[in-house]
Amino acid sequence: MPYEKTDERVVLKHPKGATAEILLFGATVISWKTPEKGGHGNLTERLFVSSKAALDGSKAVRGGIPVVFPCFGPPEHPDHSRLPQHGFARNEIWTFDSVLFDNDTGVSVQLTLQPNSAIAKLYNKKFQLTYVVTVAEHELSTDIHVLNTASSEALDFQALLHTYVRAPANEVSISPLLGKFYIDKTETQLEARDTLKEEKRSGVDVRTFTDSVYESAPPKVNVTWPGGGLELKLIGFTTLTVWNPQAEAGRKIGDMEENGWERFVCVEPGYVRGFKQLGPGETWVGKQLLEVV
Ligand code: TA6
């Protein structure tokens, strides 16, 4: 049975060794391990989860792939005014819905989140989230489907997959972002924070505190470092956020392990510039495909 389910988690197992572990809390992928391409079966963890991360549902997981919905960052839309940073999806227990397929190509499962009493205290829009996680030999895909279940109201939202790629942060290069315009959230002056900058680097690094939201994200991004890397394909998402707090900001994050910022870069496909609007009964899908290079 290439998947195992407990009350808290689902573990997916590919016939050739790759595994993924999903916490039902937040539908957070907290581990994705694969053999090296052409390797001899030893599994390598591809995601970063802080050793200080809470995995008991007491707070959002510091690492893995947190699901961000219906808002990114501090809420700005009137519908989101009572929500915490990054919305509620990563803080709620999702339902394991079904196994979509389970064969030699891999295993795919579906999880769902619908309004519940806790959400209703903070948010009164009608929605259904469906999250499809698929493990192939050297790939992990995570697709978020947003359905507006209202009969007459529109649904305005932002969505993002907050992917913590395990990597030597000071040796990472992210491309191709040359010529893309981005918002630099490390700017301390409000006006500067709202001013688009043009990326002049052929390879973006995170050797200094980085918190950049790129517009018109390319459909394929390479996250590489000496001796390793991942290719990230995105469909439906329009932005790419690159984040690493480095030491000064990183030390202020209570659930960040010591020097954790040296061991990851967040590369986050999203729809976070403005709001996506769905009419009644309409669906939007954002897909992230990670592949070991
Ligand atoms: O995606 C980057 C970001 O928005 C940063 O500004 C930083 O706040 C990070 O997310 C982590 O947010 P969290 O709420 O998980 O501490």
Side-chain angles (χ1 to χ4, degrees):
M1 179 72 77
Y3 79 98
E4 293 167 12
K5 182 186 171 309
T6 67
D7 290 345
E8 291 85 28
R9 305 180 182 209
V10 185
V11 179
L12 310 184
K13 297 182 178 182
H14 186 277
K16 292 192 176 175
T19 63
E21 188 164 353
I22 311 164
L23 212 51
L24 294 182
F25 178 75
T28 313
V29 178
I30 55 171
S31 174
W32 171 42
K33 296 178 181 175
T34 80
E36 296 302 333
K37 280 192 171 175
H40 304 291
N42 295 333
L43 297 180
T44 301
E45 177 60 68
R46 305 295 175 175
L47 302 177
F48 171 85
V49 175
S50 167
S51 59
K52 290 185 177 177
L55 300 179
D56 61 357
S58 58
K59 69 170 296 188
V61 176
R62 177 64 59 200
I65 308 177
V67 177
V68 172
F69 176 88
C71 59
F72 173 66
E76 297 171 353
H77 190 290
D79 292 349
H80 309 148
S81 59
R82 291 176 289 161
L83 296 180
Q85 164 150 297
H86 293 340
F88 54 73
R90 65 175 182 166
N91 293 314
E92 291 295 327
I93 296 175
W94 291 54
T95 301
F96 176 78
D97 190 57
S98 59
V99 180
L100 297 181
F101 66 80
D102 167 4
N103 56 39
D104 288 346
T105 66
V107 54
S108 183
V109 294
Q110 178 170 295
L111 300 93
T112 56
L113 180 68
Q114 301 186 46
N116 58 39
S117 55
I119 294 171
K121 290 176 184 157
L122 304 170
Y123 182 71
N124 59 12
K125 308 300 283 185
K126 294 181 174 21
F127 70 93
Q128 175 174 302
L129 299 184
T130 302
Y131 195 46
V132 177
V133 181
T134 306
V135 170
E137 187 176 357
H138 294 103
E139 294 174 347
L140 173 74
S141 76
T142 49
D143 309 352
I144 180 82
H145 301 239
V146 181
L147 167 65
N148 177 5
T149 54
S151 56
S152 59
E153 286 191 326
L155 180 68
D156 294 344
F157 66 92
Q158 297 172 326
L160 173 137
L161 298 179
H162 205 291
T163 306
Y164 284 74
V165 174
R166 180 175 289 274
N170 292 333
E171 298 177 272
V172 152
S173 177
I174 301 157
S175 62
L177 293 172
L178 179 66
K180 294 295 181 183
F181 287 87
Y182 67 98
I183 289 292
D184 180 353
K185 291 170 58 181
T186 66
E187 288 284 359
T188 52
Q189 299 302 317
L190 203 53
E191 187 178 343
R193 272 172 71 108
D194 290 342
T195 304
L196 283 169
K197 298 178 178 178
E198 183 177 354
E199 183 55 69
K200 305 290 189 184
R201 295 169 290 180
S202 58
V204 169
D205 67 67
V206 291
R207 293 187 186 86
T208 58
F209 177 21
T210 302
D211 195 355
S212 302
V213 181
Y214 290 86
E215 298 188 334
S216 308
K220 187 176 78 170
V221 172
N222 294 300
V223 184
T224 56
W225 55 90
L230 291 182
E231 178 185 272
L232 187 158
K233 290 179 181 165
L234 46 135
I235 297 170
F237 292 116
T238 57
T239 60
L240 188 82
T241 298
V242 177
W243 176 65
N244 184 291
Q246 287 295 348
E248 184 178 347
R251 286 196 185 96
K252 297 172 184 169
I253 301 173
D255 52 1
M256 179 62 70
E257 68 185 42
E258 187 175 1
N259 300 325
W261 47 86
E262 296 173 354
R263 292 184 277 280
F264 75 88
V265 58
C266 273
V267 187
E268 311 161 22
Y271 192 114
V272 301
R273 290 287 285 156
F275 296 88
K276 178 68 182 175
Q277 184 170 85
L278 292 178
E282 290 185 336
T283 296
W284 171 84
V285 182
K287 182 184 180 78
Q288 169 183 257
L289 180 62
L290 296 169
E291 182 175 0
V292 176
V293 298

